[in-house]
Amino acid sequence: MIEIKAFVHRSRAASVVRALRKGGFANMTAVDVKGMVKALDEKEQQYSTELGDRVITEVKLELVCEDDRLSEAADLIRNNAKTDLAESGFIYVSKITAAIPI
């Protein structure tokens, strides 16, 4: 199994989640985070006194899926998170060594 973490602009997060659900992906969470991805416009930015820099509120999507579905999930995220900017966010992939039910 793998874990995918995708950092996307807030305005694109709902489209990404809908596309993933439509694609059959269900094990995911979404969390608002402060990030330094290039802002779509100045209204999206705010100054963080904690970080001492301009930030935006972006969404971190976390998704767990089987290894053989990585390309499919990454394509859905990429295609639905894309903005007019050269970089619209980032996708990170980690191997899960264990999944223990609670």
Side-chain angles (χ1 to χ4, degrees):
M1 293 183 76
I2 56 165
E3 179 184 33
I4 300 169
K5 290 183 184 177
F7 293 84
V8 301
H9 284 273
R10 220 167 168 207
S11 62
R12 303 300 312 144
S15 295
V16 173
V17 169
R18 275 193 301 273
L20 288 167
R21 282 194 175 158
K22 188 175 178 181
F25 295 95
N27 294 329
M28 64 181 132
T29 59
V31 180
D32 282 343
V33 295
K34 298 294 182 200
M36 295 179 201
V37 169
K38 185 170 177 161
L40 296 173
D41 58 40
E42 284 194 28
K43 289 184 250 175
E44 190 179 35
Q45 287 183 326
Q46 47 204 259
Y47 187 81
S48 168
T49 55
E50 295 94 15
L51 300 175
D53 204 349
R54 289 189 157 298
V55 296
I56 68 167
T57 299
E58 56 188 350
V59 175
K60 176 174 72 167
L61 296 172
E62 296 179 351
L63 166 70
V64 175
C65 66
E66 296 300 325
D67 293 24
D68 62 348
R69 298 201 68 199
L70 169 60
S71 292
E72 181 185 358
D75 287 345
L76 287 169
I77 294 167
R78 194 178 308 109
N79 293 337
N80 290 279
K82 190 73 179 132
T83 66
D84 292 337
L85 300 174
E87 282 184 3
S88 299
F90 294 92
I91 299 172
Y92 300 99
V93 179
S94 301
K95 187 77 173 159
I96 295 177
T97 57
I100 303 167
I102 297 175

